[in-house]
Amino acid sequence: MKKVWIVGASGRVGSALLKQLDCLKYEIMVTDATEVDVTNREDVNSYMKISRPDVVINCAGLTDLDACEADPDAAYRVNAIGPRNLAMACDGIECKLIQLSTDDIFAQNEDGHPYNEFEQANPRSVYGRSKYAGERM
């Protein structure tokens, strides 16, 4: 049975994802910031070494646009350094990382066409820039 770690499981996306995964097919592990602080590399490494997931789904993020603008350092710690810490820990045990992002990494869509992964990123907010930095980690 594959082990899936949902990081940020108590948030909107994490809790919705948790409802969709079949606990008979996967061993599901859930954490939030009070259990594993993704901004702390040692926390992430420790949890990873103990739990040894096959897949990590990162739903953690500082998503409040006003909070990101007010405290860019916090936004970058959670949205960029957090994914970097997860990616490095995943690399250490050869598990897969699924990093969730946002359409805020793109400039305003003038013509209403849907975005795809080949679009040129051009974030206009601290939130968008921090999430894009997390993608690049």
Side-chain angles (χ1 to χ4, degrees):
M1 180 178 292
K2 295 249 185 207
K3 292 169 119 180
V4 177
W5 175 20
I6 302 175
V7 182
S10 63
R12 286 182 304 208
V13 174
S15 57
L17 179 62
L18 188 55
K19 292 176 187 175
Q20 299 300 313
L21 289 176
D22 185 346
C23 64
L24 297 177
K25 287 186 178 182
Y26 306 102
E27 180 181 340
I28 301 169
M29 303 172 294
V30 297
T31 61
D32 62 23
T34 61
E35 296 160 317
V36 177
D37 178 1
V38 296
T39 68
N40 182 312
R41 188 162 63 187
E42 289 306 312
D43 275 4
V44 171
N45 287 339
S46 177
Y47 187 85
M48 190 74 75
K49 287 176 184 173
I50 291 168
S51 62
R52 302 205 55 87
D54 298 295
V55 177
V56 175
I57 304 173
N58 184 20
C59 300
L62 182 58
T63 60
D64 181 305
L65 297 178
D66 293 332
C68 289
E69 293 294 331
D71 191 353
D73 288 342
Y76 276 89
R77 277 193 307 276
V78 175
N79 296 336
I81 301 302
R84 183 210 61 191
N85 291 342
L86 291 167
M88 290 171 62
C90 283
D91 189 50
I93 66 164
E94 298 181 3
C95 77
K96 294 184 180 357
L97 172 63
I98 298 171
Q99 173 64 29
L100 301 180
S101 193
T102 175
D103 65 351
D104 285 308
I105 69 162
F106 301 111
Q108 190 71 353
N109 188 343
E110 301 296 326
D111 62 4
H113 77 276
Y115 294 115
N116 66 55
E117 63 272 22
F118 303 109
E119 300 280 342
Q120 180 66 40
N122 187 17
R124 304 287 174 118
S125 66
V126 170
Y127 171 64
R129 288 190 297 273
S130 68
K131 289 297 282 186
Y132 184 56
E135 284 186 20
R136 297 175 53 92
M137 296 286 178

